[in-house]
Amino acid sequence: MQDKITKILKAIADPTRREIFHALVVAATALPITQISNQFDMSRQGVTKHLKTLEDANLVKIDNKGRERYCSANTIPLKEINEWLKFYEQFWNDSLDNLGKYLDMT
């Protein structure tokens, strides 16, 4: 089973999924899959597959309302990615600082 971070990175690795996610974030409201599909040059089934990947990563919530399925963005999992990246940001900052100190001494 994939961990949360792996699922999130897999979901946002695809440019179409990033565009779908971005459209949902900008909309700031739940959108029907039909409306989302109309924004992309692919079948509804193709968009639905992308939405499923986003849903598996907890980046999208899908609710049934009558005959239509509505999707909304969930940005909270991106905080986990941000926290994960902070470690590496600090690592590189420290490494560059140490390199700078070393170069100053030579």
Side-chain angles (χ1 to χ4, degrees):
M1 179 178 214
Q2 296 176 336
D3 66 3
K4 288 180 188 180
I5 290 177
T6 302
K7 284 184 177 183
I8 295 165
L9 291 173
K10 177 185 172 187
I12 62 175
D14 183 85
T16 301
R17 286 193 288 269
R18 288 194 305 268
E19 285 184 54
I20 291 170
F21 182 72
H22 182 74
L24 290 169
V25 170
V26 169
T29 188
L31 297 176
I33 292 178
T34 305
Q35 185 177 346
I36 298 167
S37 297
N38 291 339
Q39 296 179 32
F40 296 92
D41 188 26
M42 69 174 64
S43 67
R44 179 185 161 113
Q45 183 180 8
V47 170
T48 301
K49 284 183 179 183
H50 285 300
L51 287 167
K52 177 65 176 148
T53 302
L54 290 166
E55 182 182 37
D56 288 345
N58 199 29
L59 290 167
V60 167
K61 183 177 179 196
I62 302 175
D63 293 311
N64 294 322
K65 294 181 185 173
R67 295 183 63 178
E68 188 65 70
R69 298 175 73 206
Y70 285 80
C71 305
S72 55
N74 177 21
T75 59
I76 293 171
L78 294 180
K79 289 181 182 179
E80 292 182 49
I81 298 296
N82 190 38
E83 290 300 316
W84 183 76
L85 288 172
K86 279 183 183 181
F87 168 82
Y88 295 99
E89 179 182 19
Q90 188 61 50
F91 168 80
W92 283 110
N93 286 339
D94 291 347
S95 296
L96 292 173
D97 288 345
N98 289 336
L99 176 62
K101 289 175 187 174
Y102 175 78
L103 293 174
D104 287 344
M105 292 186 329
T106 58

